Coordinates of all heavy atoms in Angstrom, one line a residue:
H1229 N -156.2 -77.9 110.8 CA -154.8 -78.3 110.8 C -154.6 -79.8 110.7 O -155.6 -80.6 110.8 CB -154.1 -77.7 112.1 CG -154.7 -78.3 113.4 ND1 -155.8 -77.8 114.0 CD2 -154.4 -79.4 114.1 CE1 -156.1 -78.5 115.1 NE2 -155.2 -79.5 115.2
L1230 N -153.3 -80.2 110.6 CA -153.0 -81.6 110.7 C -152.2 -81.9 111.9 O -151.6 -81.0 112.5 CB -152.1 -82.0 109.4 CG -152.9 -82.2 108.1 CD1 -153.6 -80.9 107.6 CD2 -151.9 -82.7 107.0
F1231 N -152.1 -83.2 112.3 CA -151.2 -83.5 113.4 C -150.8 -85.0 113.3 O -151.4 -85.8 112.5 CB -151.8 -83.2 114.8 CG -153.0 -84.0 115.2 CD1 -152.9 -85.2 115.8 CD2 -154.3 -83.5 114.9 CE1 -154.0 -86.0 116.2 CE2 -155.4 -84.3 115.3 CZ -155.2 -85.5 116.0
G1232 N -149.8 -85.4 114.0 CA -149.3 -86.8 114.0 C -148.0 -86.9 113.3 O -147.3 -85.9 113.0
Y1233 N -147.6 -88.2 113.1 CA -146.3 -88.5 112.5 C -146.4 -89.2 111.2 O -147.2 -90.2 111.1 CB -145.5 -89.3 113.5 CG -145.1 -88.6 114.8 CD1 -146.0 -88.5 115.9 CD2 -143.9 -87.9 114.9 CE1 -145.7 -87.8 117.0 CE2 -143.5 -87.3 116.1 CZ -144.4 -87.2 117.1 OH -144.1 -86.5 118.3
A1234 N -145.5 -88.8 110.3 CA -145.3 -89.6 109.0 C -144.0 -90.3 109.2 O -143.1 -90.0 110.0 CB -145.3 -88.7 107.8
W1235 N -143.8 -91.3 108.3 CA -142.6 -92.2 108.5 C -141.8 -92.3 107.1 O -142.5 -92.5 106.1 CB -142.9 -93.5 109.0 CG -141.8 -94.5 108.9 CD1 -141.6 -95.5 107.9 CD2 -140.6 -94.6 109.7 NE1 -140.4 -96.2 108.2 CE2 -139.8 -95.7 109.3 CE3 -140.2 -93.9 110.8 CZ2 -138.6 -96.0 109.8 CZ3 -139.0 -94.2 111.4 CH2 -138.2 -95.3 111.0
S1236 N -140.5 -92.1 107.2 CA -139.7 -92.4 106.0 C -138.5 -93.2 106.5 O -137.9 -92.9 107.5 CB -139.2 -91.0 105.4 OG -138.1 -91.3 104.5
A1237 N -138.3 -94.3 105.7 CA -137.2 -95.2 106.1 C -135.8 -94.5 106.1 O -134.9 -94.8 106.9 CB -137.1 -96.4 105.2
N1238 N -135.7 -93.5 105.2 CA -134.4 -92.8 105.1 C -134.4 -91.5 105.9 O -133.3 -90.9 106.0 CB -134.1 -92.5 103.6 CG -133.9 -93.7 102.8 OD1 -133.3 -94.7 103.3 ND2 -134.4 -93.7 101.6
C1239 N -135.5 -91.1 106.4 CA -135.6 -89.8 107.1 C -136.1 -89.9 108.6 O -135.9 -89.0 109.4 CB -136.5 -88.8 106.4 SG -136.3 -87.1 106.8
G1240 N -136.7 -91.0 108.9 CA -137.2 -91.2 110.2 C -138.6 -90.6 110.4 O -139.3 -90.3 109.4
W1241 N -139.0 -90.3 111.6 CA -140.3 -89.7 111.9 C -140.4 -88.3 111.6 O -139.4 -87.5 111.8 CB -140.7 -89.9 113.4 CG -140.8 -91.3 113.8 CD1 -140.0 -92.1 114.6 CD2 -141.8 -92.2 113.3 NE1 -140.4 -93.4 114.7 CE2 -141.6 -93.5 114.0 CE3 -142.9 -92.1 112.5 CZ2 -142.4 -94.6 113.7 CZ3 -143.7 -93.2 112.3 CH2 -143.4 -94.5 112.9

Side-chain angles (χ1 to χ4, degrees):
H1229 62 272
L1230 282 64
F1231 67 89
Y1233 292 86
W1235 169 257
S1236 167
N1238 294 323
C1239 196
W1241 296 111

